[in-house]
Amino acid sequence: RRPVVSSRFVWSPEGNGVTCYRDTEALLAGAVPVLDATPGRRDAFERQWGTNLPVVWAPPIPFESSHAGHRDGATARAAHLALLGRTQRALNRTMLEIEWAALQARWDELDVAPAYYP
């Protein structure tokens, strides 16, 4: 595992709300949170935080609880690994390099202050 402080991007899937502690932790560590663009999340996120935070919006990944409907740990683990595989295919290196270049192009207008002072 790489620590957040040495990472350029941090995957932060949607939790129980619009934002997650991982979003703020990534920003405070100098990384860019990668958020899944589930229906309504981007609009709600931008209403709460604005549009000038350095974030990357990934294609939506269907929510599947890794434990839902599974009676044993092995089945739950297999479901969880399948979800991770779909996530990795959606978030490939080329996509993140393109997003990084786009963020660099607008670096002067980005503002992480909302993460520090909500």
Side-chain angles (χ1 to χ4, degrees), residues 33-115:
V34 178
L35 310 174
D36 54 335
T38 54
R41 183 179 189 197
R42 185 174 188 156
D43 291 337
F45 183 92
E46 289 177 350
R47 274 194 308 275
Q48 180 175 345
W49 293 94
T51 58
N52 288 330
L53 280 175
V55 299
V56 169
W57 291 98
I61 297 164
F63 175 79
E64 295 176 28
S65 170
S66 58
H67 300 289
H70 303 298
R71 298 188 189 279
D72 62 71
T75 306
R77 179 166 169 71
H80 181 71
L81 291 174
L83 178 60
L84 288 177
R86 286 194 301 280
T87 302
Q88 288 174 341
R89 285 189 295 280
L91 299 174
N92 62 49
R93 182 180 201 97
T94 302
M95 176 241 177
L96 292 176
E97 287 173 356
I98 290 168
E99 291 292 339
W100 182 251
L103 286 171
Q104 292 292 304
R106 55 185 288 251
W107 203 254
D108 291 339
E109 63 188 70
L110 299 176
D111 182 16
V112 297

Side-chain angles (χ1 to χ4, degrees), residues 1-10 25-26 28-32 100:
R1 294 185 176 185
R2 289 179 55 187
V4 172
V5 294
S6 66
S7 299
R8 186 178 285 177
F9 297 99
V10 174
E25 284 181 346
L28 295 176
V32 175
W100 182 251

Side-chain angles (χ1 to χ4, degrees), residues 10-26:
V10 174
W11 171 239
S12 184
E14 185 173 22
N16 291 329
V18 174
T19 61
C20 176
Y21 68 90
R22 285 180 299 272
D23 306 344
T24 306
E25 284 181 346

